[in-house]
Amino acid sequence: KALSDDIWEDFQNAGLSHILVVSGFNLGLISWALYIVLRMLRLGRREIRIALVMLGTLCYGALIGPQPSVVRAVIVVELILIAKLLERKADLTNITAGAALLDLVLDPAHLFDVSFQLSYGAVFSLSLIAPALDRFFLPDDERPRRWYDVFTKGAIGTTAILFGTLPIVLFHFHQLSVISIVTNFLTIPLASIATIFSVLLLPIAFISSWLALVYVDAVSAVIYLIRTIVALANEVPFAVIRLPHPSVIFVFAYVLGLLYIIRAASGRMAVGRSLVVVLLTLSLASSGIGLTNTLSKEGTCSIFFFDVGQGDATLIATPNGKYYMIDGGGLTRSGNTIAERSVFPFLTAEQVSDINGLFSTHMHLDHYGGLAALASERSVDTLYSCGGKASTPAARALDSVVAAEQLPVRYLNCGDVLRLDDEVTAYVLSPEQNSHSPVNERSLVMKIVYRETSILLPADISAETEELLVKQYGSFLQSDIVKVAHHGSRSSSASSFIEATRPEFAVVSSGRRNRHGHPHPDVVQAWQSQKAVVARTDLEGALAFESDGSSVRRTSWR
């Protein structure tokens, strides 16, 4: 994607991320605009024009690329055009079902893809929920249409999509954009104008380059207006609500409740049924039946490596429900905490409100940048630190939170042992007390042991410090999981260290296309040569593992 993470996050918070990708909506607009142009040019008969639009749609999809969202959009639009060509009524429900079936025939794995679920969920919402809402709010089909009916139908469509896709959004993203009805109502017409005008830019450019420049300025003004609406939406307090992860029972109950409401005989009955469903939903949520926690399991220690770009953030969940965060990632270019869009939603989804220990391995921004936000957003028992200091705004913010919350701080050194849970112990291997080495070499290095399994977290130490650890600890370094030091830098991962640790999994936490070139190909090859499975956040996103005390396995967190 060419857009920055901040832009994607702003649009997602405003409930408008769908207008940033190719979908059936904008591809349908392009096809419609192409048909209008062909009709204005009086090019051939109706059947020829439809056939040309079908061909143009296929060419446009091929030009963009075979991404799943593009394939889905092309299938839906082509089926609608085929119905038009055969002079058959284009039933949206049947077309959507047929498109989904064809999509799954091409690739059955799409069923578990969130974009597949959202795309078809939105269209099914328009075909099933929107007509019921139309019946409630626009009941008289015989009366003359008034100007505000157009806006009412727009609001009805947006509301139908919001409630129809809500369980999918909650299940995958654990958040609800309460302002999305308003933002969609305002921006969808603008997005439609920008899409259609963009298609017409090419023929205008052939006519006049000056007119094309004026045209581009007009489209840019529409896009600027959309960005302004998004920016204002993100300033609204409580525009986005973070919610826990819903269980399958909750999703099933929600769908049944939604069907119960839309089958009401009147608007008054629908309101009454809605109140009943809301009360039952609140009861279900308050009882805990409708929510799940996939991290804390009896007899299982979970390890979670967040995707925080070029930085580190690791969560340890013990068998008895204790949580420990090691580092908190860095900051975005605009100064926002990366943890706010990766760590916080996950903690909310898993109902993690208390953190038993927050660790700062060393004072480099990509590690401690998110700790102040974590300490202020969650209840933290103790802050563990290697004792380093920094003079950045993020470091001062952390000091302020520690003072305001009266957060206990414990400084760790080589030889310290922490009992994290009944059978989970953290051994501090470095740094030496009062060390005057460079910041990276003073990193907090820990080995966390759960029964017969262990994980080694060496932060950002270099090969020189790794070799010192090998001399000092020898075979004790052997671990099931090793977080590769310094994001896979070539200056770390000494051969003696790799041989001593002999992990089953080597985890690299680094940013996509980062300017440092991490992880270095030689480093990846070195760990693989020891038969370690190299898992990377830059390629795979967040990484989850579970230990039952005797072995470690990779799990899915989605």
Side-chain angles (χ1 to χ4, degrees), residues 21-38:
V21 298
V22 176
S23 64
F25 167 73
N26 49 36
L27 191 59
L29 285 174
I30 292 170
S31 301
W32 175 78
L34 179 58
Y35 182 81
I36 294 298
V37 170
L38 293 177

Side-chain angles (χ1 to χ4, degrees), residues 221-301:
V222 175
I223 294 174
Y224 176 78
L225 185 55
I226 293 174
R227 290 291 306 275
T228 301
I229 293 172
V230 171
L232 291 174
N234 276 266
E235 295 298 324
V236 176
F238 308 110
V240 177
I241 300 176
R242 307 289 184 186
L243 296 169
H245 194 293
S247 67
V248 176
I249 296 176
F250 183 89
V251 173
F252 185 70
Y254 177 88
V255 172
L256 287 180
L258 195 58
L259 292 174
Y260 175 65
I261 293 170
I262 65 176
R263 291 181 64 84
S266 64
R268 180 176 296 180
M269 183 182 292
V271 172
R273 290 187 176 189
S274 298
L275 291 175
V276 172
V277 170
V278 168
L279 290 175
L280 289 175
T281 301
L282 292 176
S283 300
L284 193 63
S286 62
S287 67
I289 297 176
L291 309 174
T292 61
N293 183 309
T294 60
L295 277 177
S296 183
K297 300 177 183 177
E298 185 176 355
T300 299
C301 184

